[in-house]
Amino acid sequence: MIADPSGSLAADAVPARTQVLIIGGGPAGLLLSQLLHRAGVDNVVLERRSRAYVLSRIRAGVLEQGTVDLLRQAGVGARMDRKGLLHGGVEISFRERRLRIDLAGLTGGRSVMVYGQTEVTADLYAARDAMGGTILHEVEDVALHDLESASPFATFTLGGETQRINCDFIAGCDGFHGVSRRSIPEDRLKLFELVYPFGWLGILADVPPVSDELIYASHEKGFALCSMRSPTRSRYYIQCPLDEEPGNWSDDRFWEALAAHLPADVAARLVTGPSIEKSIAPLRSFVAEPMRHGRLFLAGDAAHIVPPTGAKGLNLAASDVHYLSQGLIAHYAAGDDLALERYSDRALARVWKAERFSWWMTSTLHSFPDAGEFGARMQQAEFDYLATSRTAQAAFAENYVGLPY
């Protein structure tokens, strides 16, 4: 029911009812919509932004094995399998020491796929279009009602007209600043948060990657990450103060700073060029418990945020969608609500393990302003242990490729 390539739908074509109403048209909401539609569960997606805006957002690019498998299950893995970069290892450098973690060898052949979130979103849009999925864009003033009843509904404005959709369930996939989590009474939620005293300055550039695999680098000057989106497009980051402004960084200044954060032989291979995009991302750990309130289920950034160090944000959203889709499909197919009842506990168990891993990577590889000499020695000891223990490397690899669902 998408009226034109922009994804807009005429206000008079808004359905009065659906089985599952999905708030948020990013990758989590679109993936849930796709999985439910393929199982015969009717759903509608509400998205505050235009399709063009959603597709312009530059986000994560490392997919866990479970996320890759889930995208294939949803019927959207063909282009990913053609264009994605399969990585069986990852490198960590600490000062001038370097360590490659053999992900595939330590996990029985599991790996990660480098494939940008923007590409995942484009694939999901194409699949929803092909199946006639209903996605309403540029929806404003969304409000959720009667969440603890058997008949929840949402009201919103589309094209200047007030609309209402009745439903059985609502999936809140609308991110940290969305309406879904805010619709839960404060006394029903417990929030956990850690804000880190730095951010990442990142650029995207059409230059070949400095390495075939990701490099996480810890240096006296701070953290750096060498990543990529394709064999000809690279994504690089360096640690920066929270109050830094991207406009203060010319491309030349960034490349010079990045080279200074890397081992000398890596810096010597660095190919530079004009940036396509430059931005600063703050680092935060955040969890909201529980992830369910009545007929409302939270998924993805609406319920949790991880620092990007462990590449878990999109992957946690995918695992949430896996658990939630299982529960909703079982409800409609067999009247079995056990998976829905267990959704929050199952999702949070995996969320907290990913939070731990992302916190550990962030704590080990970044420079903390107030850590002092003791903190520096602890980071050194962490790297020494990882470098000399196959057991520690296996634990790292298991977490990096993604814990099982």
Side-chain angles (χ1 to χ4, degrees):
M1 293 179 63
I2 296 178
D4 60 55
S6 72
S8 60
L9 189 69
D12 59 3
V14 174
R17 193 182 192 288
T18 189
Q19 291 176 311
V20 179
L21 182 62
I22 300 171
I23 313 299
L30 294 174
L31 179 57
L32 179 60
S33 177
Q34 176 73 2
L35 289 166
L36 293 179
H37 198 152
R38 284 167 64 91
V41 178
D42 186 60
N43 65 85
V44 172
V45 178
L46 304 185
E47 168 54 43
R48 183 169 64 94
R49 301 286 193 170
S50 68
R51 177 189 289 213
Y53 181 91
V54 174
L55 286 171
S56 70
R57 291 185 294 209
I58 297 175
R59 294 289 190 270
V62 179
L63 306 182
E64 292 178 351
Q65 182 73 63
T67 303
V68 169
D69 294 341
L70 188 62
L71 291 170
R72 291 169 178 156
Q73 177 189 329
V76 294
R79 196 165 72 101
M80 172 190 69
D81 286 331
R82 291 197 310 271
K83 296 191 172 184
L85 305 176
L86 201 62
H87 283 197
V90 66
E91 184 173 319
I92 300 174
S93 76
F94 193 88
R95 310 306 184 251
E96 289 293 323
R97 296 176 59 190
R98 298 173 61 184
L99 169 68
R100 181 182 183 271
I101 305 291
D102 182 4
L103 299 175
L106 292 163
T107 63
R110 293 171 66 82
S111 58
V112 295
M113 179 82 78
V114 174
Y115 189 64
Q117 179 172 317
T118 303
E119 304 304 320
V120 172
T121 306
D123 294 342
L124 286 164
Y125 265 127
R128 302 311 301 124
D129 289 351
M131 294 183 71
T134 303
I135 306 172
L136 310 182
H137 289 86
E138 300 181 273
V139 169
E140 299 178 335
D141 305 319
V142 175
L144 310 183
H145 308 271
D146 292 354
L147 297 175
E148 296 185 80
S149 77
S151 303
F153 65 95
T155 56
F156 55 93
T157 302
L158 179 64
E161 297 184 26
T162 300
Q163 302 285 344
R164 169 173 170 159
I165 296 181
N166 300 305
C167 58
D168 300 326
F169 301 99
I170 298 177
C173 305
D174 50 344
F176 182 78
H177 298 289
V179 68
S180 296
R181 190 182 66 254
R182 299 200 311 269
S183 299
I184 302 175
E186 290 185 7
D187 61 356
R188 305 290 184 89
L189 279 179
K190 188 169 185 179
L191 306 181
F192 305 84
E193 186 172 32
L194 173 63
V195 178
Y196 295 89
F198 43 72
W200 281 10
L201 171 63
I203 72 165
L204 190 69
D206 279 330
V207 295
V210 73
S211 173
D212 291 337
E213 296 176 339
L214 273 68
I215 300 176
Y216 291 85
S218 179
H219 191 272
E220 289 90 346
K221 295 179 180 293
F223 170 82
L225 171 61
C226 300
S227 184
M228 70 287 289
R229 291 294 179 269
S230 75
T232 59
R233 178 168 288 188
S234 299
R235 184 72 162 157
Y236 293 109
Y237 300 93
I238 57 173
Q239 182 179 340
C240 68
L242 276 175
D243 60 357
E244 189 60 87
E245 294 290 338
N248 294 335
W249 287 78
S250 66
D251 289 348
D252 288 342
R253 183 187 176 195
F254 178 88
W255 292 119
E256 182 179 349
L258 175 64
H261 284 68
L262 302 175
D265 61 328
V266 176
R269 301 197 306 268
L270 193 62
V271 178
T272 65
S275 62
I276 301 170
E277 184 264 356
K278 191 180 295 165
S279 59
I280 291 180
L283 271 64
R284 165 194 286 130
S285 298
F286 172 84
V287 180
E289 294 185 350
M291 290 172 59
R292 176 184 183 177
H293 174 67
R295 292 292 182 105
L296 169 65
F297 297 84
L298 302 180
D301 287 359
H304 43 74
I305 300 286
V306 288
T309 324
K312 296 303 175 193
L314 175 59
N315 293 299
L316 277 182
S319 64
D320 292 346
V321 166
H322 167 76
Y323 295 130
L324 184 53
S325 63
Q326 280 191 330
L328 292 168
I329 291 168
H331 170 84
Y332 287 108
D336 182 356
D337 285 344
L338 180 60
L340 281 180
E341 295 296 333
R342 295 181 58 203
Y343 168 71
S344 181
D345 290 341
R346 292 178 72 194
L348 283 168
R350 196 173 189 278
V351 165
W352 278 112
K353 292 182 180 72
E355 291 279 358
R356 182 210 68 82
F357 180 67
S358 298
W359 164 83
W360 176 85
M361 284 195 72
T362 303
S363 301
T364 300
L365 299 176
H366 289 74
S367 294
F368 285 78
D370 301 322
E373 285 298 319
F374 182 84
R377 288 302 182 99
M378 291 300 293
Q379 289 179 321
Q380 179 72 60
E382 287 283 357
F383 180 81
D384 288 345
Y385 178 59
L386 184 64
T388 57
S389 169
R390 182 176 175 83
T391 301
Q393 292 176 29
F396 178 98
E398 179 185 38
N399 280 273
Y400 195 84
V401 302
L403 297 174
Y405 290 171

mmCIF file of all heavy atoms in Angstrom, residues 215-253:
data_model
loop_
_atom_site.group_PDB
_atom_site.id
_atom_site.type_symbol
_atom_site.label_atom_id
_atom_site.label_comp_id
_atom_site.label_asym_id
_atom_site.label_seq_id
_atom_site.Cartn_x
_atom_site.Cartn_y
_atom_site.Cartn_z
ATOM 1 N N ILE A 215 40.395 -2.594 12.290
ATOM 2 C CA ILE A 215 41.470 -2.399 13.269
ATOM 3 C C ILE A 215 40.950 -1.488 14.375
ATOM 4 O O ILE A 215 40.548 -0.351 14.127
ATOM 5 C CB ILE A 215 42.724 -1.765 12.640
ATOM 6 C CG1 ILE A 215 43.289 -2.646 11.521
ATOM 7 C CG2 ILE A 215 43.789 -1.520 13.714
ATOM 8 C CD1 ILE A 215 44.481 -2.027 10.804
ATOM 9 N N TYR A 216 40.944 -2.011 15.597
ATOM 10 C CA TYR A 216 40.651 -1.219 16.789
ATOM 11 C C TYR A 216 41.988 -0.834 17.404
ATOM 12 O O TYR A 216 42.785 -1.712 17.759
ATOM 13 C CB TYR A 216 39.841 -2.035 17.794
ATOM 14 C CG TYR A 216 38.430 -2.340 17.350
ATOM 15 C CD1 TYR A 216 38.154 -3.441 16.538
ATOM 16 C CD2 TYR A 216 37.363 -1.550 17.759
ATOM 17 C CE1 TYR A 216 36.855 -3.727 16.137
ATOM 18 C CE2 TYR A 216 36.056 -1.830 17.375
ATOM 19 C CZ TYR A 216 35.822 -2.918 16.561
ATOM 20 O OH TYR A 216 34.532 -3.197 16.165
ATOM 21 N N ALA A 217 42.237 0.465 17.524
ATOM 22 C CA ALA A 217 43.557 0.935 17.956
ATOM 23 C C ALA A 217 43.458 1.749 19.238
ATOM 24 O O ALA A 217 42.664 2.683 19.332
ATOM 25 C CB ALA A 217 44.197 1.783 16.850
ATOM 26 N N SER A 218 44.291 1.378 20.214
ATOM 27 C CA SER A 218 44.407 2.145 21.454
ATOM 28 C C SER A 218 45.786 2.782 21.490
ATOM 29 O O SER A 218 46.802 2.105 21.322
ATOM 30 C CB SER A 218 44.218 1.232 22.667
ATOM 31 O OG SER A 218 44.345 1.956 23.869
ATOM 32 N N HIS A 219 45.814 4.097 21.697
ATOM 33 C CA HIS A 219 47.061 4.857 21.660
ATOM 34 C C HIS A 219 47.036 5.870 22.788
ATOM 35 O O HIS A 219 45.970 6.202 23.327
ATOM 36 C CB HIS A 219 47.175 5.563 20.297
ATOM 37 C CG HIS A 219 48.508 6.168 20.018
ATOM 38 N ND1 HIS A 219 48.839 7.457 20.403
ATOM 39 C CD2 HIS A 219 49.600 5.675 19.386
ATOM 40 C CE1 HIS A 219 50.069 7.717 20.022
ATOM 41 N NE2 HIS A 219 50.557 6.662 19.391
ATOM 42 N N GLU A 220 48.225 6.380 23.158
ATOM 43 C CA GLU A 220 48.266 7.418 24.195
ATOM 44 C C GLU A 220 47.382 8.608 23.832
ATOM 45 O O GLU A 220 46.820 9.278 24.702
ATOM 46 C CB GLU A 220 49.704 7.913 24.405
ATOM 47 C CG GLU A 220 50.620 6.906 25.089
ATOM 48 C CD GLU A 220 51.330 6.007 24.087
ATOM 49 O OE1 GLU A 220 50.905 5.986 22.903
ATOM 50 O OE2 GLU A 220 52.301 5.325 24.473
ATOM 51 N N LYS A 221 47.238 8.871 22.537
ATOM 52 C CA LYS A 221 46.408 9.991 22.088
ATOM 53 C C LYS A 221 44.912 9.677 22.149
ATOM 54 O O LYS A 221 44.082 10.567 21.997
ATOM 55 C CB LYS A 221 46.792 10.371 20.654
ATOM 56 C CG LYS A 221 48.206 10.916 20.507
ATOM 57 C CD LYS A 221 48.494 11.245 19.061
ATOM 58 C CE LYS A 221 49.893 11.802 18.886
ATOM 59 N NZ LYS A 221 50.035 13.126 19.528
ATOM 60 N N GLY A 222 44.576 8.398 22.325
ATOM 61 C CA GLY A 222 43.175 8.008 22.371
ATOM 62 C C GLY A 222 42.882 6.857 21.429
ATOM 63 O O GLY A 222 43.769 6.249 20.824
ATOM 64 N N PHE A 223 41.596 6.575 21.275
ATOM 65 C CA PHE A 223 41.136 5.438 20.492
ATOM 66 C C PHE A 223 40.965 5.811 19.015
ATOM 67 O O PHE A 223 40.659 6.960 18.684
ATOM 68 C CB PHE A 223 39.784 4.974 21.056
ATOM 69 C CG PHE A 223 39.068 3.963 20.211
ATOM 70 C CD1 PHE A 223 39.399 2.623 20.286
ATOM 71 C CD2 PHE A 223 38.045 4.352 19.353
ATOM 72 C CE1 PHE A 223 38.732 1.684 19.515
ATOM 73 C CE2 PHE A 223 37.371 3.413 18.575
ATOM 74 C CZ PHE A 223 37.720 2.081 18.660
ATOM 75 N N ALA A 224 41.126 4.824 18.144
ATOM 76 C CA ALA A 224 40.814 4.993 16.719
ATOM 77 C C ALA A 224 40.266 3.678 16.182
ATOM 78 O O ALA A 224 40.577 2.593 16.695
ATOM 79 C CB ALA A 224 42.044 5.405 15.926
ATOM 80 N N LEU A 225 39.432 3.785 15.164
ATOM 81 C CA LEU A 225 38.886 2.600 14.502
ATOM 82 C C LEU A 225 39.022 2.767 13.001
ATOM 83 O O LEU A 225 38.616 3.786 12.432
ATOM 84 C CB LEU A 225 37.410 2.412 14.866
ATOM 85 C CG LEU A 225 36.642 1.330 14.091
ATOM 86 C CD1 LEU A 225 37.259 -0.047 14.301
ATOM 87 C CD2 LEU A 225 35.160 1.313 14.505
ATOM 88 N N CYS A 226 39.578 1.752 12.360
ATOM 89 C CA CYS A 226 39.667 1.700 10.898
ATOM 90 C C CYS A 226 38.653 0.669 10.412
ATOM 91 O O CYS A 226 38.809 -0.530 10.650
ATOM 92 C CB CYS A 226 41.069 1.301 10.451
ATOM 93 S SG CYS A 226 42.370 2.420 10.993
ATOM 94 N N SER A 227 37.615 1.147 9.745
ATOM 95 C CA SER A 227 36.557 0.274 9.249
ATOM 96 C C SER A 227 36.336 0.565 7.771
ATOM 97 O O SER A 227 37.066 1.336 7.158
ATOM 98 C CB SER A 227 35.282 0.506 10.072
ATOM 99 O OG SER A 227 34.271 -0.383 9.672
ATOM 100 N N MET A 228 35.309 -0.058 7.216
ATOM 101 C CA MET A 228 35.043 0.108 5.791
ATOM 102 C C MET A 228 33.582 -0.185 5.496
ATOM 103 O O MET A 228 32.880 -0.773 6.320
ATOM 104 C CB MET A 228 35.941 -0.808 4.947
ATOM 105 C CG MET A 228 35.629 -2.296 5.047
ATOM 106 S SD MET A 228 36.132 -3.051 6.598
ATOM 107 C CE MET A 228 37.907 -3.038 6.402
ATOM 108 N N ARG A 229 33.139 0.233 4.336
ATOM 109 C CA ARG A 229 31.814 -0.110 3.837
ATOM 110 C C ARG A 229 31.899 -0.946 2.562
ATOM 111 O O ARG A 229 30.965 -1.649 2.214
ATOM 112 C CB ARG A 229 31.005 1.169 3.563
ATOM 113 C CG ARG A 229 30.631 1.930 4.820
ATOM 114 C CD ARG A 229 29.668 1.145 5.695
ATOM 115 N NE ARG A 229 29.334 1.863 6.919
ATOM 116 C CZ ARG A 229 30.003 1.740 8.063
ATOM 117 N NH1 ARG A 229 31.028 0.915 8.140
ATOM 118 N NH2 ARG A 229 29.637 2.415 9.131
ATOM 119 N N SER A 230 33.012 -0.846 1.853
ATOM 120 C CA SER A 230 33.218 -1.610 0.626
ATOM 121 C C SER A 230 34.720 -1.586 0.338
ATOM 122 O O SER A 230 35.486 -0.915 1.040
ATOM 123 C CB SER A 230 32.443 -0.972 -0.533
ATOM 124 O OG SER A 230 33.094 0.209 -0.984
ATOM 125 N N PRO A 231 35.169 -2.284 -0.696
ATOM 126 C CA PRO A 231 36.599 -2.240 -1.038
ATOM 127 C C PRO A 231 37.077 -0.859 -1.471
ATOM 128 O O PRO A 231 38.284 -0.631 -1.566
ATOM 129 C CB PRO A 231 36.710 -3.248 -2.191
ATOM 130 C CG PRO A 231 35.577 -4.197 -1.981
ATOM 131 C CD PRO A 231 34.462 -3.345 -1.458
ATOM 132 N N THR A 232 36.161 0.071 -1.736
ATOM 133 C CA THR A 232 36.567 1.412 -2.177
ATOM 134 C C THR A 232 36.035 2.529 -1.275
ATOM 135 O O THR A 232 36.257 3.696 -1.575
ATOM 136 C CB THR A 232 36.066 1.677 -3.616
ATOM 137 O OG1 THR A 232 34.633 1.552 -3.639
ATOM 138 C CG2 THR A 232 36.688 0.673 -4.591
ATOM 139 N N ARG A 233 35.349 2.166 -0.206
ATOM 140 C CA ARG A 233 34.795 3.180 0.705
ATOM 141 C C ARG A 233 35.156 2.824 2.147
ATOM 142 O O ARG A 233 34.893 1.706 2.602
ATOM 143 C CB ARG A 233 33.285 3.308 0.548
ATOM 144 C CG ARG A 233 32.653 4.301 1.508
ATOM 145 C CD ARG A 233 31.214 4.619 1.116
ATOM 146 N NE ARG A 233 31.170 5.460 -0.090
ATOM 147 C CZ ARG A 233 30.053 6.003 -0.558
ATOM 148 N NH1 ARG A 233 28.889 5.788 0.048
ATOM 149 N NH2 ARG A 233 30.094 6.752 -1.655
ATOM 150 N N SER A 234 35.750 3.795 2.853
ATOM 151 C CA SER A 234 36.241 3.551 4.211
ATOM 152 C C SER A 234 35.520 4.419 5.230
ATOM 153 O O SER A 234 35.064 5.523 4.926
ATOM 154 C CB SER A 234 37.749 3.829 4.292
ATOM 155 O OG SER A 234 38.464 2.968 3.428
ATOM 156 N N ARG A 235 35.451 3.899 6.447
ATOM 157 C CA ARG A 235 34.866 4.618 7.578
ATOM 158 C C ARG A 235 35.910 4.626 8.696
ATOM 159 O O ARG A 235 36.368 3.570 9.128
ATOM 160 C CB ARG A 235 33.596 3.905 8.042
ATOM 161 C CG ARG A 235 32.833 4.597 9.165
ATOM 162 C CD ARG A 235 32.150 5.834 8.685
ATOM 163 N NE ARG A 235 31.096 6.284 9.597
ATOM 164 C CZ ARG A 235 30.644 7.522 9.653
ATOM 165 N NH1 ARG A 235 31.149 8.439 8.842
ATOM 166 N NH2 ARG A 235 29.683 7.869 10.471
ATOM 167 N N TYR A 236 36.319 5.830 9.127
ATOM 168 C CA TYR A 236 37.355 5.966 10.149
ATOM 169 C C TYR A 236 36.841 6.817 11.304
ATOM 170 O O TYR A 236 36.034 7.739 11.112
ATOM 171 C CB TYR A 236 38.605 6.626 9.561
ATOM 172 C CG TYR A 236 39.334 5.788 8.540
ATOM 173 C CD1 TYR A 236 39.317 6.132 7.181
ATOM 174 C CD2 TYR A 236 40.039 4.658 8.918
ATOM 175 C CE1 TYR A 236 39.991 5.376 6.237
ATOM 176 C CE2 TYR A 236 40.727 3.889 7.986
ATOM 177 C CZ TYR A 236 40.697 4.253 6.651
ATOM 178 O OH TYR A 236 41.361 3.492 5.721
ATOM 179 N N TYR A 237 37.339 6.515 12.511
ATOM 180 C CA TYR A 237 36.958 7.266 13.709
ATOM 181 C C TYR A 237 38.180 7.535 14.572
ATOM 182 O O TYR A 237 39.126 6.718 14.611
ATOM 183 C CB TYR A 237 35.977 6.457 14.564
ATOM 184 C CG TYR A 237 34.689 6.065 13.910
ATOM 185 C CD1 TYR A 237 34.566 4.830 13.272
ATOM 186 C CD2 TYR A 237 33.576 6.902 13.957
ATOM 187 C CE1 TYR A 237 33.363 4.444 12.689
ATOM 188 C CE2 TYR A 237 32.368 6.517 13.378
ATOM 189 C CZ TYR A 237 32.279 5.285 12.749
ATOM 190 O OH TYR A 237 31.095 4.903 12.177
ATOM 191 N N ILE A 238 38.136 8.645 15.299
ATOM 192 C CA ILE A 238 39.090 8.893 16.362
ATOM 193 C C ILE A 238 38.334 9.420 17.581
ATOM 194 O O ILE A 238 37.282 10.059 17.461
ATOM 195 C CB ILE A 238 40.191 9.905 15.963
ATOM 196 C CG1 ILE A 238 39.576 11.235 15.511
ATOM 197 C CG2 ILE A 238 41.117 9.327 14.902
ATOM 198 C CD1 ILE A 238 40.610 12.330 15.270
ATOM 199 N N GLN A 239 38.861 9.137 18.747
ATOM 200 C CA GLN A 239 38.283 9.635 19.992
ATOM 201 C C GLN A 239 38.438 11.145 20.066
ATOM 202 O O GLN A 239 39.458 11.705 19.647
ATOM 203 C CB GLN A 239 38.993 8.976 21.177
ATOM 204 C CG GLN A 239 38.460 9.374 22.539
ATOM 205 C CD GLN A 239 39.186 8.660 23.665
ATOM 206 O OE1 GLN A 239 39.815 7.613 23.454
ATOM 207 N NE2 GLN A 239 39.122 9.210 24.865
ATOM 208 N N CYS A 240 37.399 11.816 20.584
ATOM 209 C CA CYS A 240 37.447 13.273 20.677
ATOM 210 C C CYS A 240 36.659 13.747 21.892
ATOM 211 O O CYS A 240 35.833 12.998 22.426
ATOM 212 C CB CYS A 240 36.889 13.923 19.413
ATOM 213 S SG CYS A 240 35.103 13.680 19.199
ATOM 214 N N PRO A 241 36.885 14.975 22.367
ATOM 215 C CA PRO A 241 36.090 15.516 23.470
ATOM 216 C C PRO A 241 34.622 15.637 23.075
ATOM 217 O O PRO A 241 34.284 15.813 21.899
ATOM 218 C CB PRO A 241 36.716 16.898 23.718
ATOM 219 C CG PRO A 241 38.081 16.822 23.113
ATOM 220 C CD PRO A 241 37.967 15.888 21.949
ATOM 221 N N LEU A 242 33.738 15.569 24.072
ATOM 222 C CA LEU A 242 32.302 15.639 23.809
ATOM 223 C C LEU A 242 31.887 16.967 23.200
ATOM 224 O O LEU A 242 30.913 17.039 22.446
ATOM 225 C CB LEU A 242 31.519 15.404 25.107
ATOM 226 C CG LEU A 242 31.285 13.946 25.509
ATOM 227 C CD1 LEU A 242 30.612 13.888 26.873
ATOM 228 C CD2 LEU A 242 30.453 13.225 24.471
ATOM 229 N N ASP A 243 32.611 18.042 23.542
ATOM 230 C CA ASP A 243 32.221 19.367 23.051
ATOM 231 C C ASP A 243 32.892 19.743 21.733
ATOM 232 O O ASP A 243 32.811 20.886 21.284
ATOM 233 C CB ASP A 243 32.515 20.435 24.106
ATOM 234 C CG ASP A 243 33.995 20.494 24.483
ATOM 235 O OD1 ASP A 243 34.780 19.675 23.966
ATOM 236 O OD2 ASP A 243 34.358 21.359 25.313
ATOM 237 N N GLU A 244 33.550 18.784 21.089
ATOM 238 C CA GLU A 244 34.205 19.052 19.806
ATOM 239 C C GLU A 244 33.156 19.300 18.722
ATOM 240 O O GLU A 244 32.039 18.781 18.779
ATOM 241 C CB GLU A 244 35.093 17.868 19.430
ATOM 242 C CG GLU A 244 35.986 18.102 18.231
ATOM 243 C CD GLU A 244 36.945 19.266 18.446
ATOM 244 O OE1 GLU A 244 38.029 19.051 18.989
ATOM 245 O OE2 GLU A 244 36.556 20.396 18.059
ATOM 246 N N GLU A 245 33.516 20.084 17.733
ATOM 247 C CA GLU A 245 32.635 20.374 16.602
ATOM 248 C C GLU A 245 33.246 19.839 15.305
ATOM 249 O O GLU A 245 34.430 20.096 15.036
ATOM 250 C CB GLU A 245 32.416 21.887 16.463
ATOM 251 C CG GLU A 245 31.647 22.518 17.603
ATOM 252 C CD GLU A 245 30.186 22.112 17.599
ATOM 253 O OE1 GLU A 245 29.692 21.716 16.525
ATOM 254 O OE2 GLU A 245 29.551 22.192 18.671
ATOM 255 N N PRO A 246 32.481 19.086 14.503
ATOM 256 C CA PRO A 246 33.038 18.566 13.247
ATOM 257 C C PRO A 246 33.586 19.660 12.350
ATOM 258 O O PRO A 246 34.576 19.454 11.629
ATOM 259 C CB PRO A 246 31.840 17.861 12.595
ATOM 260 C CG PRO A 246 30.910 17.558 13.710
ATOM 261 C CD PRO A 246 31.093 18.659 14.713
ATOM 262 N N GLY A 247 32.950 20.838 12.380
ATOM 263 C CA GLY A 247 33.402 21.926 11.530
ATOM 264 C C GLY A 247 34.786 22.432 11.856
ATOM 265 O O GLY A 247 35.409 23.128 11.036
ATOM 266 N N ASN A 248 35.292 22.095 13.028
ATOM 267 C CA ASN A 248 36.648 22.499 13.405
ATOM 268 C C ASN A 248 37.717 21.601 12.787
ATOM 269 O O ASN A 248 38.911 21.875 12.948
ATOM 270 C CB ASN A 248 36.801 22.477 14.929
ATOM 271 C CG ASN A 248 35.931 23.515 15.612
ATOM 272 O OD1 ASN A 248 35.574 24.517 15.004
ATOM 273 N ND2 ASN A 248 35.584 23.267 16.865
ATOM 274 N N TRP A 249 37.270 20.542 12.119
ATOM 275 C CA TRP A 249 38.208 19.559 11.579
ATOM 276 C C TRP A 249 38.195 19.583 10.055
ATOM 277 O O TRP A 249 37.235 19.157 9.420
ATOM 278 C CB TRP A 249 37.839 18.159 12.078
ATOM 279 C CG TRP A 249 38.167 17.959 13.526
ATOM 280 C CD1 TRP A 249 37.462 18.420 14.599
ATOM 281 C CD2 TRP A 249 39.294 17.258 14.045
ATOM 282 N NE1 TRP A 249 38.086 18.053 15.764
ATOM 283 C CE2 TRP A 249 39.213 17.330 15.457
ATOM 284 C CE3 TRP A 249 40.371 16.575 13.473
ATOM 285 C CZ2 TRP A 249 40.155 16.752 16.293
ATOM 286 C CZ3 TRP A 249 41.309 15.984 14.292
ATOM 287 C CH2 TRP A 249 41.207 16.075 15.682
ATOM 288 N N SER A 250 39.264 20.059 9.492
ATOM 289 C CA SER A 250 39.437 19.902 8.048
ATOM 290 C C SER A 250 39.775 18.437 7.772
ATOM 291 O O SER A 250 40.169 17.689 8.669
ATOM 292 C CB SER A 250 40.573 20.791 7.547
ATOM 293 O OG SER A 250 41.820 20.346 8.078
ATOM 294 N N ASP A 251 39.636 18.039 6.516
ATOM 295 C CA ASP A 251 40.005 16.665 6.168
ATOM 296 C C ASP A 251 41.475 16.405 6.472
ATOM 297 O O ASP A 251 41.837 15.353 7.017
ATOM 298 C CB ASP A 251 39.728 16.400 4.685
ATOM 299 C CG ASP A 251 38.238 16.321 4.385
ATOM 300 O OD1 ASP A 251 37.435 16.237 5.343
ATOM 301 O OD2 ASP A 251 37.881 16.345 3.193
ATOM 302 N N ASP A 252 42.333 17.351 6.130
ATOM 303 C CA ASP A 252 43.767 17.165 6.369
ATOM 304 C C ASP A 252 44.060 16.981 7.852
ATOM 305 O O ASP A 252 44.886 16.145 8.231
ATOM 306 C CB ASP A 252 44.565 18.358 5.834
ATOM 307 C CG ASP A 252 44.610 18.387 4.318
ATOM 308 O OD1 ASP A 252 44.335 17.343 3.697
ATOM 309 O OD2 ASP A 252 44.931 19.455 3.751
ATOM 310 N N ARG A 253 43.393 17.768 8.691
ATOM 311 C CA ARG A 253 43.614 17.638 10.134
ATOM 312 C C ARG A 253 43.174 16.267 10.640
ATOM 313 O O ARG A 253 43.855 15.649 11.463
ATOM 314 C CB ARG A 253 42.849 18.732 10.881
ATOM 315 C CG ARG A 253 43.087 18.701 12.384
ATOM 316 C CD ARG A 253 42.202 19.677 13.138
ATOM 317 N NE ARG A 253 42.382 19.558 14.568
ATOM 318 C CZ ARG A 253 41.568 20.062 15.488
ATOM 319 N NH1 ARG A 253 40.487 20.770 15.102
ATOM 320 N NH2 ARG A 253 41.801 19.883 16.777
#
